[in-house]
């Protein structure tokens, strides 16, 4: 059995992690659990640095307080790039030997939505207001709303987690 801890109680993040570990280790029973783990960054990180640090801090907290085979965290953030505003996530997966960082795709954000983030609002709350939804961050997320659910928050986490597993699956190449 593999014990996986996720630095969040959000079911979207827990499901993404469980899906990935089941795909990489189909012969093993996967026990995947979400735990509160502080990010140490604002609730709505702006910029790549704070977003990455949020995921890294969550994993470090899990490693310091719990015992598991793998620890993982996903931190959604937003930034303004030279081509426009976008939201994305950083993911970190670690075990006792290695740590791996990966990043999701960028979802272009409307300027008025990014402006609300700069004013201190969280993306999920802004999207709930704009689209008249409730708790979208534990469902399809902004990415689901803005792509008519052709992509979802979980699918973007799943892709980034899949990529972050490469150093664990091919550790001989990464050492």
């Amino acid at each position: 059995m593999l014990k996986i801890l996720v630095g969040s109680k959000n079911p979207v993040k827990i499901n993404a992690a469980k899906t990935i570990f089941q795909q990489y280790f189909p012969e093993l029973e996967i026990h995947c659990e979400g735990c509160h783990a502080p990010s140490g960054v604002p609730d709505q990180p702006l910029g790549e640095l704070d977003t990455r640090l949020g995921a890294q801090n969550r994993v470090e907290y899990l490693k310091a307080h719990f015992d598991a085979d793998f620890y993982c965290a996903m931190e959604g953030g937003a930034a303004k790039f030279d081509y426009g505003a976008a939201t994305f996530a950083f993911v970190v997966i670690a075990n006792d030997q290695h740590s791996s960082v990966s990043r999701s795709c960028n979802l272009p954000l409307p300027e008025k939505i990014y402006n609300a983030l700069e004013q201190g609002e969280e993306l999920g709350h802004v999207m709930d207001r704009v689209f008249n939804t409730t708790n979208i961050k534990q469902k399809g997320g902004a990415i689901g709303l803005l792509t008519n659910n052709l992509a979802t928050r979980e699918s973007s986490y799943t892709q980034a987690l899949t990529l972050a597993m490469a150093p664990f699956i091919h550790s001989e190449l990464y050492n």
Side-chain angles (χ1 to χ4, degrees), residues 12-13 31 41 44 65 77 117 120 141:
V12 170
K13 294 179 179 184
H31 175 76
V41 300
Q44 178 57 70
H65 293 87
L117 304 184

Side-chain angles (χ1 to χ4, degrees), residues 11-23:
V12 170
K13 294 179 179 184
I14 297 165
N15 290 338
K18 186 171 187 177
T19 296
I20 290 316
F21 283 95
Q22 284 175 329
Q23 289 176 352

Side-chain angles (χ1 to χ4, degrees), residues 128-162:
D128 281 340
R129 185 176 68 247
V130 170
F131 282 86
N132 196 29
T133 54
T134 303
N135 200 18
I136 197 63
K137 69 182 185 178
Q138 291 197 359
K139 299 172 189 164
I143 192 170
L145 291 172
L146 292 172
T147 65
N148 292 341
N149 290 308
L150 292 176
T152 63
R153 192 171 189 209
E154 187 169 335
S155 72
S156 70
Y157 291 150
T158 300
Q159 181 187 44
L161 289 164
T162 300

Side-chain angles (χ1 to χ4, degrees), residues 99-132:
S99 183
S100 177
V101 176
S102 188
R103 189 181 175 288
S104 75
C105 52
N106 269 4
L107 170 68
L109 280 179
E111 197 68 31
K112 73 177 188 174
I113 290 175
Y114 187 78
N115 291 343
L117 304 184
E118 288 185 312
Q119 299 303 313
E121 290 190 69
E122 278 189 68
L123 181 58
H125 299 153
V126 176
M127 298 307 289
D128 281 340
R129 185 176 68 247
V130 170
F131 282 86
N132 196 29

Side-chain angles (χ1 to χ4, degrees), residues 1-95:
M1 179 174 83
L2 272 184
K3 182 175 180 182
I4 315 302
L5 291 181
V6 178
S8 174
K9 296 269 192 180
N10 186 322
V12 170
K13 294 179 179 184
I14 297 165
N15 290 338
K18 186 171 187 177
T19 296
I20 290 316
F21 283 95
Q22 284 175 329
Q23 289 176 352
Y24 274 111
F25 302 103
E27 71 285 358
L28 297 176
E29 180 184 340
I30 305 297
H31 175 76
C32 189
E33 182 180 337
C35 301
H36 170 73
S39 70
V41 300
D43 288 341
Q44 178 57 70
L46 293 180
E48 291 181 296
L49 178 61
D50 269 0
T51 307
R52 180 176 48 81
L53 282 175
Q56 288 175 315
N57 290 343
R58 289 178 194 274
V59 164
E60 290 306 314
Y61 180 89
L62 292 174
K63 286 177 72 175
H65 293 87
F66 302 100
D67 187 40
D69 296 299
F70 285 94
Y71 309 87
C72 59
M74 294 139 258
E75 189 74 32
K80 192 163 234 177
F81 300 97
D82 58 357
Y83 52 83
T87 184
F88 52 87
F90 271 94
V91 303
V92 175
I93 300 175
N95 63 14

